[in-house]
Every structure is written in C-alpha cells, then in structure tokens.
Amino acid sequence: MTTPCSSYSANANKMAAFLQWRKFVFFDKDTVKDPVDSGKNFVLPSGISACDSGRGHIVLGDMDGKIWLMTRSLQLTYFQAYKLRVTHLYQLKQHSILISVGQDEQGINPLVKVWNLDKRDSGNPLCTRIFPAIPGNKPTEVSCLSVHENLNFMAIGFTDGSVVLTKGDITRDRHSKTLTLHEGSSPVTGLAFRQVAKVTHLFVATLERVHCYTLSIKEYPKVELDTHGCALRCSSLADPSQDSQFIVAGDECVYLYQPDERGPCFAFDGHKLLAHWHRGYLFLLIRDAKSPNKTGFGNRESSPSDKQLLTIYDLDNKFIAYSASFDDVIDVVAEWGSFYILTRDGKMFVLQEKDTQTKLEMLFKKNLFVMAINLAKSQHLDSDGLSEIFRQYGDHLYLKGDHDGAIQQYIRTIGKLEPSYVIRKFLDAQRIHNLTAYLQALHRQSLANADHTTLLLNCYTKLKDSSKLEEFIKSSDSEVHFDVEIAIKVLRQAGYHSHAVFLAEKHMHHEWYLKIQLEDLKNYQEGLRYIGRLPFDQAESTMKHYGKTLMLHVPEDTTLLLKGLCTNYHPSGDGPEKDSPERSRVNKANSEEFIPIFANNPRELKAFLEHMIEVDPCSPQGVYDTLLELRLQDWAHEQDPQRKRVLQGEAVSLLRSDNTVFDKALVLCQMHNFKEGVLYLYEKGKLYQQIMHYHMQNEEYGKIVEACKRYGDQEGCLWEQALGYFARKEEDCKAYISEVLHHIDQNNLMPPLLVVQTLAHNSTATLSVIKDYLINKLQRESQQIEDDERKIRQYREETAHLRSEIQELKTSAKIFQKTKCNMCNSPLELPSVHFLCSHSFHQHCFESYAESEAECPTCTPENRKVMDMLRAQDQKRDLHDHFNRQLRSSNDGFSVVADYFGRGVFNKLTLVTDLPGNKTAGSLEGNLQKDLLIHTKRNC
C-alpha cells in the first residue's frame, strides 16, 4: 500500500501498511544440481566478489582476479582478468560488452577494463580498453559502476563521494573523454542511467543524498531529490512499467524517484542488504531481525552466520510474490527466464515463476478476484482469459448476494461471455435494476440483438423509468447501439407512443411513424404533414396506403397534397429531405391511381380531377372519364335550371375536348339520359342512323327531318327510314311525309312503286299526300320519254347523213377547195396538208400541232372520245358474257357475284362529254365513223 513518507515515523503504521500486502508463493525454489552428477549440488567457484548476468550467461568475478562465464548448461569457463582481484562487473544487456573493475597491484589503484566477449585474444575475450579509475589524482576505492546501453556513457562511483563520467565510445580511449561529474563527502552507493525518448538522466545515490543529472543538456544540471540515501547495492532502476523510476531501499521505506521529484514510497521495514528490479518484481534482501545489527558502509557484508530474508514484491498489484530465508546471499541475478540466488557457501538456488494460470487459480481459491484481475492485466493476459476471471468473480459475488457488484463484473465480460448466461440469473423481477444495467452496457457496446433490445425496453417500461427510456432512445446518431425497428415495436406495444414516434422520426422509419400517428394516436393532421416531407417515392406509396383514411378525416388537406403529388412534387422545406437531389428532379405521380381514394368524397374528387386537367392536359384517360361521370351526376341531380345549364355546358365541353373514351362516354351519357352528349357522340362517331333512331324513340318528328337534311348526303337511306317511320305512325304526319317525299323526289331516292307500298301501311296517309309526288314523277317520266324519242330521231337522221357521205367518198373524188389554214387561219401556201374531213393546214402548222401524221389535229379529240366509248362498250359486252358463264358454271353463285361486286362491275357508269359550242350534233355523230376517214397528205 502506498502511503505518504511522513507516516513512516510510527512503527505501528509501518507494520499495518506492511501487513496489508498479501503473501503468495508464486515461485518454485530449487537447488541447482550439478549437470554431470545430478545427485550433487552445483558448486560455485570460491571467493566470488562480484557477479552480473546478461547475453545468455552469468558473469562471476573472484578474489583471484578471474572472471567466470557460466552458460545455461552450467558450464564454467574463466579467464584471468586481473592479477589480484575483481571488485565490480557490469554486463550490458544489448551488447556483448563486459566492463570490470579490479586490481593488478597492491594499493588503491583500481583499473577499468572493457571486454568484447564476441572477440577473442589468445583464447580469452578481447580487452578493448584499460584505464585507471581515479577521480582526479586522489587514490580512492570504486564503490559502484553503471554503463548506458548505448555505449556512450559510463559512470563510476567512489567511496570519497566522487562520480566520474566517461562520455563517448566507452570501448575506445581516443573516442571518449572523462570528467568528474559529482563530488561529495558521502560515499556513492548507487548509479543508474535512465533513457526516455531522447533525454538521458543519471541517478546518483549516496549514503546521505539522492541526486539526478540531466546528461542530454550540455551543462549537466543537477537536481537534489532527497536528503537521505541508501546502503551499497540497495538501489536499482525500475522498468518502463514503473515509469523507469529510481528505486532506493532504506531501512524503513523503499522510495521511488522521478528525474525531477520523489514519487511514491513503500513501508518495507528491515535492514536492507540488496535491492534489485527484475522483470517487474522488486527483490529485497533483508537481514533477519534476530541477527546482530551491523551498521556502517563497510559492514554491509554479512557474516557466515547471518540469516537473510529474500522477499519479492509486485508493486503494481500490491502483493508479495515470494519470501524465503537464505544463508549469506552474494547476489540475485535473472537469466534464462528464471532467478538465481548465489550464496557464499557455493550453492546456487533457482526460483522459477509459476505460470499465470496457476497463479490465478491460487488467487481464485482464496476468492481474491480483484487481485487476480490486476495480476492478469499486468501479465498481459488476453481478453478471453480476463473475461473468464470477470465471470468467476461475478459468480462469486452473485452467490454472496452482492448483485450490484456481480453485475458490474458481468458487464466486463460483454463480448466474450454469452449474454444469456447473465440474463437468466437476473430475470427475477427483484433484480430488474441489475438486468437493466447489464442490458444498457450490452447496447453501448453494440452487441445487443433484437431480443436484448426488447428486454431492455420492457425493463424500462415495467420500471416506469421515463427518464432512462428517453436517455436511451434520444442518444445521438453516433451512439445508437440497438435495433431501432425493434425498439419502436416494443414502445408501441407498451403504450409509449410519443417515444416510439420520436424514435421513428429521428431514424427515418417513415412507415412506423405514420402507423403510430394514424392508427394509434389518430393524429391525422400531423401524419399528413409528415408525408409532405417525405421523398417522392415514399410519399406516393404512403398516400396509396393511407389515402382513404386521411381523406375521411382531413379531406381538404389530403386533396391539396395529392394535387401537388400528381403535378410536380417537392418535399416541404422543413423536412429531412430538403437538401436531397429530389428537389432538382421533376416528380409526378399517376393521378389515375389515386382516384379510388376519393370513393366517399365526390366533391374533393371533382376538385382534384379538374385541377389535374387544368395543369396537365395530358392527364391519363381515367381522369377525364371519371370527371365526366362526376359532371353528369351533378347535372342529373341538379334542380336549379340555371345551374343545370351551366353543368350541361361543362359536360359537353369535356366531351368536345376529345380526351374521353368514346364507348365509356357514350355509356355514361346514356346512363344519365344526357341527350346533348348522346347526340354529340353519335355525330362524332358518324352513327347517323343511331341519331335517327334516338329521335324516333323520342318521337321528335322535326328532329328526324332535320337529321335527314344534315346527314342525308352521307347516308341516303335516312330518307327512306324517315318515310317508313312516318308511314307507320297513326298520327297525322302529312306535313312531314310531304317534306320527306319532296326530298326523295328531288334526289330520285326511291322508285314510286316502293313509295306507294310504304305509305300504304299508314291509314291517315290519303292519296292527297302523294298526289303531287306522283304527278311530278309522271310528268318527269313523260318528259324523259319525249327527250329519248327526239334523240332517237336525231341519231337516225345523222346516221343516214353519214351513210350518204360514206357512199359519196367511196364513189366520187374529193375536191379540196380550202383557201385558209384551219390552224392559223392564214391563206394556204404550198406545201400544204389536206384531210378528207375537209380540214387543210400549212405543213409547218400541221407538224407543230399534229400528234400523228395520220390524224387530223382538229378532229382528233372528238374521235378519241368516240373510240373510248366504243372500247368501253366492247369491254362491258365481253365482261357480261364472261360473268354469265362463271355464274352458270359455279356451285356458289353468291361468291361470284360478291367477287364482281368488289371489282366495281355493277357501279353506275356516267360519261360526261363536253360538246364544243361550234360543234353540232351531226358533226359529233359523224365522228363515230372513224374507220371510214381517209387522211391524205399531199405535197404541192
């Protein structure tokens, strides 16, 4: 236990502090046996005066000047280093360099020799340097020696209080220089170099003082650390685990020093003979209290009868690792993984440290778990081993009833021990606080699964600890260590809706947020606001799911949101997605998909659809069809005439927009008996007979006649249907029948006999109704007969005249007496061209206008018309004969008729000929005799 130094004045306090250090046997002691004869003990050389270890061997110096090297197999070799004796040895740990101090002649003249153990000189290690160890010119004894591992510093302490520092390459004379670093009146008892980073310090201990020099600064500044010192060999330098502190062992305390101040001190009472630091342990050799006390610098060596107590301290973990009595210990060295104790009777004992697991088991048996944990950490035990200690410690505390302490140990096993092992122990309701603490730690380390989250939240809810619950769920994003979705489910199930909503909103679990707001809290307005903040895809899917519910409770705001969603949607400005790329992209939902949401809200649906066709004329077809149905419904249920006319105009305008489906629109208009729409669609679809039938069904006589006038040119049978309709009516329809007959008569649409037969079915249609029709018909027929007879006579006369001309041409010569050209009307000049048709031309005029040398340019157009008529008659005659033959020979006469009908054989042929004004009928008929024309070409 670390205590203030001032407390060591009282013996009782010192003893109490010492007794708090637990004693263990963490080392196994054995006497080293002879390697040749294992039945005998190994015997050290006699007269050992100094020893050290390192680089795989133990170095011994004796009173005869020999230096012995002991290998691991206990083989001893020596070389004569001095003529008289060896007093000090220092073996470097990182180099095969050995520094010795001894005497070659009588008197006070110590020599320092530097040996390179890797090089040989006549079979012995090479001595690279020899120099006398004298502070100034005063002969004095060397008391202690220390060498820096970098081979650049060597310090030698003397009994007169001087310290000589060699700086530079200590293995060579010419590369180093020597100076007196310290002077004093008290013998130097300890030296140690401390290297941390680039700063080098030298600790100097005397019988009365402790100093520290900074060697990395040119002036070598000195700091006095304490006003009391220690005996010879009672100081050492700790390793980095103790921050490389300088250890000074006084008779009452052990002090630790930093380069600039004194550190902790330990109350270890007893007359110290030796202090060493090896591998994390402090070795103190104390004279047995029963032995006679000898004081003074020169009397530290014990008599052969001295009993000495060697104690090994673990300063980190505050326990005694080993303690045993020995007779006359020369030194304690560490090599080959063990500690060796050399005694003056020539024996050598080995202390082998027990393995970590054995030491831990010893602590477990005594239930010293805290100490076991500290020991495991100092031994750098892996995490699995530490976790097992924490588990055993937790089990121990749990059995003792210390559940709070146990849970703290179990928390330290997280990541190694299965959580269910701990959870099962604390599922009792009385231990719910401990269970909560464990589950919290499990979540903090992000090792909790969904079941752990559920259990922790249930603990919070059962404890009704709202503050802890809020602290758990309101941790920052970087500290979320649980399954958020599971937490939301548990909170919702437990009725902590506000907490669940917070968690869902914070971690953007949109579905859960809306489910709680709309299904549990019935907060429709807030739910709608939240949807407006979502990205387009999520807002669209959410509205499809919750649209009907929202429309039922907040119809106006829901309609407004849908309008935006189906035009150009952007999340609201305060939403979590306000800076996302969504805002730079045009997002537009299909408005037709949201129509079912308005099932019970026709007013909002109409407003929505009208908005859509206004902002987007290319809206889906279903939008226009649905809007038409709504407008027709409003029109059908409206009682105010003025308002009804307005609604009628709206419906018709929608029909005229050509955005509705014809069939659907027609069915809707018929369902609602919307006359204007039905008639418009019939006309649009060219269903003229349907228009007639519609007027007939409604007995709108005037509309029937008007429809015939409008559409009779496109479909001539309308007049016949109208006549048949009026003929079947028993009412007095004489005026309509007369008007229909007038149009039939003018356009010759029906044979008179069919007209009479049609009207015969009407009992009210008397002869006076068709009197005018029949008279006009008969008059035209009579006129036609007269015209035909006149043409017959005319054709006969022309034929006779032509025949006489032909006869004349055949029997008599033709005299050409024309004096003018029929083309240019200029007097004829030779050469000229004459035709039998009495037309004459200049030759150059004939060549310019004639298409053929054999045809008269003047008569050619008329002759061609006649020839075309003749060819048409011949083709018809041949086609008629062929048709009759096929019809008689075919088994399916109807297919033959259909084939010829499709080829236009039965179409009415009308030839229109334009007769020139200066041409007579006789001249036209004369051209029919094309084959009798004789063309004569004469060159005069």
Side-chain angles (χ1 to χ4, degrees):
M1 178 179 178
T2 304
T3 58
C5 292
S6 60
S7 64
Y8 297 144
S9 58
N11 292 334
N13 292 341
K14 291 187 291 184
M15 186 57 67
F18 179 74
L19 291 177
Q20 291 184 22
W21 289 65
R22 301 295 297 266
K23 291 184 179 181
F24 301 100
V25 182
F26 284 167
F27 290 85
D28 294 324
K29 172 188 171 185
D30 287 313
T31 303
V32 178
K33 300 297 183 180
D34 192 293
V36 178
D37 186 358
S38 60
K40 296 180 180 179
N41 293 335
F42 179 77
V43 179
L44 291 170
S46 60
I48 298 300
S49 58
C51 61
D52 202 356
S53 64
R55 304 298 292 179
H57 50 248
I58 296 176
V59 186
L60 305 173
D62 62 15
M63 299 300 292
D64 296 328
K66 301 185 185 68
I67 294 180
W68 297 80
L69 299 177
M70 180 190 299
T71 63
R72 186 167 189 172
S73 60
L74 302 181
Q75 298 296 321
L76 282 170
T77 60
Y78 73 91
F79 62 92
Q80 192 70 38
Y82 295 92
K83 295 179 181 179
L84 295 182
R85 59 180 173 272
V86 179
T87 59
H88 296 82
L89 291 174
Y90 193 96
Q91 172 65 54
L92 274 76
K93 304 299 185 288
Q94 299 177 14
H95 305 277
S96 294
I97 301 296
L98 174 67
I99 293 89
S100 63
V101 179
Q103 293 181 350
D104 279 341
E105 57 187 26
Q106 296 293 336
I108 304 175
N109 46 17
L111 287 176
V112 178
K113 295 185 179 182
V114 180
W115 306 90
N116 188 333
L117 301 181
D118 289 339
K119 295 181 179 181
R120 294 288 168 175
D121 181 15
S122 301
N124 295 328
L126 176 64
C127 181
T128 62
R129 184 181 182 186
I130 302 174
F131 64 94
I134 301 174
N137 294 320
K138 299 180 295 180
T140 181
E141 293 286 351
V142 174
S143 60
C144 54
L145 171 70
S146 182
V147 182
H148 198 291
E149 288 291 336
N150 63 10
L151 299 178
N152 286 327
F153 293 104
M154 178 168 59
I156 305 172
F158 297 90
T159 56
D160 67 350
S162 301
V163 175
V164 173
L165 177 68
T166 301
K167 183 179 180 182
D169 189 353
I170 64 171
T171 63
R172 298 182 182 182
D173 288 325
R174 61 181 179 178
H175 293 139
S176 63
K177 59 181 180 178
T178 303
L179 57 94
T180 301
L181 181 68
H182 177 81
E183 292 181 346
S185 58
S186 178
V188 178
T189 57
L191 296 171
F193 287 99
R194 179 181 188 267
Q195 183 73 43
V196 176
K198 295 182 179 181
V199 180
T200 305
H201 294 95
L202 174 63
F203 289 101
V204 178
T206 68
L207 286 175
E208 299 176 352
R209 297 281 190 276
V210 178
H211 297 90
C212 179
Y213 288 87
T214 305
L215 303 182
S216 53
I217 300 177
K218 188 174 182 179
E219 291 77 13
Y220 305 142
K222 178 178 69 172
V223 176
E224 183 177 301
L225 300 177
D226 216 333
T227 56
H228 56 79
C230 63
L232 196 63
R233 302 201 303 167
C234 291
S235 63
S236 182
L237 189 72
D239 58 27
S241 66
Q242 288 292 331
D243 199 19
S244 299
Q245 298 182 93
F246 187 54
I247 300 173
V248 175
D251 287 343
E252 295 181 348
C253 299
V254 173
Y255 302 90
L256 276 69
Y257 296 94
Q258 295 282 356
D260 54 352
E261 63 180 355
R262 188 174 70 184
C265 53
F266 300 90
F268 299 149
D269 199 7
H271 188 67
K272 312 298 188 301
L273 301 175
L274 181 71
H276 275 318
W277 183 274
H278 291 305
R279 295 209 323 262
Y281 291 110
L282 173 63
F283 289 73
L284 290 181
L285 186 65
I286 304 173
R287 178 180 295 148
D288 195 308
K290 298 178 181 179
S291 300
N293 188 17
K294 298 180 181 180
T295 59
F297 176 77
N299 296 327
R300 279 290 169 175
E301 295 185 1
S302 304
S303 66
S305 62
D306 279 349
K307 278 287 186 182
Q308 299 164 350
L309 180 66
L310 178 65
T311 306
I312 304 175
Y313 294 93
D314 187 329
L315 298 185
D316 276 338
N317 301 310
K318 307 296 185 296
F319 64 80
I320 297 172
Y322 184 77
S323 182
S325 294
F326 294 90
D327 294 328
D328 248 354
V329 175
I330 299 174
D331 208 344
V332 179
V333 295
E335 193 63 30
W336 311 311
S338 300
F339 301 112
Y340 292 89
I341 302 166
L342 286 64
T343 61
R344 295 197 181 279
D345 58 2
K347 294 181 180 179
M348 186 166 68
F349 300 92
V350 59
L351 295 179
Q352 293 182 333
E353 188 175 5
K354 298 179 184 292
D355 61 84
T356 303
Q357 191 59 40
T358 302
K359 291 189 284 186
L360 292 176
E361 290 176 358
M362 295 171 64
L363 295 174
F364 293 157
K365 290 179 181 179
K366 298 181 179 181
N367 293 328
L368 299 174
F369 292 98
V370 175
M371 190 172 289
I373 293 169
N374 294 332
L375 175 64
K377 289 181 178 180
S378 64
Q379 298 287 327
H380 305 290
L381 195 66
D382 61 12
S383 57
D384 292 334
L386 279 172
S387 177
E388 178 61 21
I389 299 174
F390 295 140
R391 183 195 67 79
Q392 295 187 39
Y393 190 18
D395 292 345
H396 170 70
L397 295 176
Y398 182 83
L399 293 174
K400 287 176 59 178
D402 183 5
H403 298 99
D404 294 338
I407 206 66
Q408 293 304 316
Q409 298 307 316
Y410 287 134
I411 287 174
R412 301 170 80 176
T413 67
I414 291 176
K416 300 297 180 182
L417 181 63
E418 176 60 37
S420 59
Y421 176 86
V422 180
I423 293 173
R424 282 196 300 267
K425 290 179 176 290
F426 292 90
L427 277 179
D428 185 358
Q430 295 181 358
R431 305 269 70 85
I432 193 170
H433 289 86
N434 302 126
L435 180 60
T436 303
Y438 180 78
L439 293 171
Q440 284 176 333
L442 199 63
H443 281 80
R444 279 195 297 271
Q445 298 189 32
S446 301
L447 295 175
N449 58 28
D451 294 332
H452 299 149
T453 302
T454 303
L455 187 57
L456 176 58
L457 292 173
N458 284 329
C459 289
Y460 284 143
T461 54
K462 287 184 179 180
L463 292 172
K464 301 189 183 303
D465 193 346
S466 298
S467 60
K468 283 287 186 182
L469 187 59
E470 289 186 7
E471 180 183 351
F472 178 74
I473 67 173
K474 292 184 179 180
S475 57
S476 62
D477 292 339
S478 60
E479 298 176 354
V480 175
H481 309 294
F482 57 89
D483 189 321
V484 176
E485 187 169 357
I486 294 297
I488 294 172
K489 287 182 181 179
V490 175
L491 291 170
R492 184 189 182 202
Q493 186 176 4
Y496 284 80
H497 295 118
S498 60
H499 295 79
V501 163
F502 170 82
L503 208 55
E505 183 175 12
K506 178 181 178 182
H507 297 282
M508 301 177 67
H509 286 263
H510 308 309
E511 293 183 6
W512 282 107
Y513 181 89
L514 293 170
K515 189 185 293 289
I516 298 170
Q517 287 282 18
L518 301 179
E519 297 179 12
D520 299 330
L521 300 177
K522 311 296 182 184
N523 194 348
Y524 304 106
Q525 195 69 43
E526 176 60 27
L528 195 63
R529 181 197 64 81
Y530 189 83
I531 294 174
R533 299 166 54 199
L534 296 179
F536 170 74
D537 294 336
Q538 293 174 327
E540 181 184 19
S541 60
T542 303
M543 285 305 296
K544 289 178 181 178
H545 187 266
Y546 290 107
K548 288 186 178 180
T549 303
L550 293 170
M551 185 62 66
L552 178 64
H553 296 90
V554 280
E556 293 182 0
D557 292 338
T558 304
T559 305
L560 184 64
L561 178 58
L562 287 175
K563 287 179 181 179
L565 193 63
C566 296
T567 51
N568 187 11
Y569 176 78
H570 293 295
S572 58
D574 60 340
E577 310 293 334
K578 63 180 180 179
D579 295 327
S580 68
E582 291 262 340
R583 302 192 67 84
S584 59
R585 192 173 65 218
V586 176
N587 297 307
K588 183 170 67 173
N590 186 352
S591 52
E592 187 176 1
E593 297 177 356
F594 293 96
I595 292 177
I597 291 175
F598 297 87
N600 299 316
N601 299 76
R603 183 171 62 86
E604 285 76 13
L605 176 58
K606 185 178 179 182
F608 170 72
L609 297 176
E610 288 177 346
H611 171 78
M612 290 310 304
I613 65 172
E614 180 181 353
V615 300
D616 185 13
C618 298
S619 293
Q621 191 64 53
V623 172
Y624 285 93
D625 293 338
T626 307
L627 180 59
L628 176 62
E629 183 177 3
L630 290 173
R631 289 184 175 180
L632 290 176
Q633 288 177 355
D634 292 345
W635 174 84
H637 294 91
E638 184 60 50
Q639 301 298 326
D640 184 8
Q642 184 175 359
R643 176 62 181 162
K644 198 174 186 72
R645 282 194 298 273
V646 174
L647 294 174
Q648 175 180 316
E650 292 178 354
V652 172
S653 66
L654 192 59
L655 289 173
R656 294 184 185 278
S657 66
D658 294 333
N659 289 308
T660 55
V661 178
F662 179 83
D663 295 339
K664 292 182 180 179
L666 183 58
V667 170
L668 290 173
C669 291
Q670 290 173 343
M671 285 175 55
H672 295 86
N673 196 22
F674 186 56
K675 177 181 178 181
E676 288 76 7
V678 172
L679 293 177
Y680 168 76
L681 292 172
Y682 282 158
E683 182 178 2
K684 178 181 177 182
K686 297 182 179 181
L687 302 176
Y688 305 126
Q689 294 192 31
Q690 297 294 334
I691 296 175
M692 287 285 293
H693 292 161
Y694 185 83
H695 291 314
M696 290 175 182
Q697 289 174 358
N698 292 282
E699 297 185 351
E700 297 174 339
Y701 303 149
K703 296 288 186 181
I704 294 174
V705 175
E706 183 180 349
C708 290
K709 291 178 180 179
R710 292 182 61 185
Y711 313 118
D713 294 339
Q714 288 89 346
E715 198 159 350
C717 65
L718 295 181
W719 290 104
E720 299 177 17
Q721 293 178 8
L723 182 62
Y725 173 75
F726 289 125
R728 290 191 297 271
K729 287 294 181 181
E730 296 300 327
E731 294 88 350
D732 187 5
C733 300
K734 293 180 180 180
Y736 300 108
I737 294 175
S738 298
E739 188 172 1
V740 172
L741 286 174
H742 176 69
H743 284 279
I744 291 175
D745 183 28
Q746 281 187 341
N747 297 282
N748 196 20
L749 300 176
M750 292 178 66
L753 183 58
L754 183 58
V755 173
V756 174
Q757 290 175 348
T758 301
L759 292 176
H761 298 290
N762 192 331
S763 59
T764 61
T766 59
L767 187 59
S768 60
V769 176
I770 62 171
K771 174 182 176 182
D772 294 337
Y773 167 76
L774 292 175
I775 292 174
N776 291 333
K777 194 68 175 174
L778 291 173
Q779 287 178 349
R780 279 196 300 274
E781 292 292 340
S782 298
Q783 183 66 38
Q784 183 68 36
I785 291 172
E786 292 177 1
D787 293 339
D788 292 342
E789 289 177 350
R790 185 177 66 256
K791 287 183 179 180
I792 291 172
R793 288 194 300 271
Q794 179 182 350
Y795 291 153
R796 284 176 178 174
E797 292 173 357
E798 291 178 353
T799 302
H801 178 69
L802 289 173
R803 285 175 179 171
S804 63
E805 285 186 358
I806 293 171
Q807 183 64 28
E808 184 180 353
L809 290 173
K810 286 180 177 180
T811 58
S812 60
K814 179 71 174 178
I815 300 172
F816 300 102
Q817 297 178 342
K818 284 280 188 177
T819 59
K820 292 185 177 181
C821 175
N822 285 91
M823 284 291 183
C824 62
N825 206 25
S826 298
L828 281 174
E829 297 177 355
L830 294 178
S832 61
V833 180
H834 303 277
F835 287 92
L836 292 177
C837 59
S838 301
H839 293 142
S840 300
F841 307 94
H842 292 112
Q843 186 172 0
H844 61 85
C845 291
F846 175 77
E847 290 175 353
S848 300
Y849 293 98
E851 296 180 4
S852 173
E853 292 182 356
E855 294 181 358
C856 172
T858 304
C859 299
T860 294
E862 296 300 328
N863 291 340
R864 285 185 179 176
K865 290 182 181 180
V866 174
M867 296 305 295
D868 289 341
M869 293 173 63
L870 292 175
R871 279 194 296 270
Q873 289 178 357
D874 290 342
Q875 288 177 359
K876 276 193 173 184
R877 182 181 67 249
D878 295 341
L879 190 61
H880 175 73
D881 295 340
H882 184 66
F883 169 71
N884 286 330
R885 284 196 301 271
Q886 270 193 307
L887 190 61
R888 286 193 297 270
S889 62
S890 175
N891 294 328
D892 186 3
F894 180 78
S895 62
V896 175
V897 174
D899 178 49
Y900 275 83
F901 188 87
R903 289 156 59 185
V905 173
F906 305 112
N907 291 347
K908 183 177 180 181
L909 180 61
T910 303
L911 292 177
V912 180
T913 59
D914 297 329
L915 297 177
N918 58 350
K919 294 291 181 179
T920 63
S923 63
L924 177 62
E925 296 297 338
N927 291 333
L928 296 175
Q929 304 298 328
K930 172 184 179 294
D931 56 328
L932 299 178
L933 296 179
I934 300 174
H935 304 282
T936 303
K937 178 178 179 183
R938 287 173 22 184
N939 295 325
C940 299

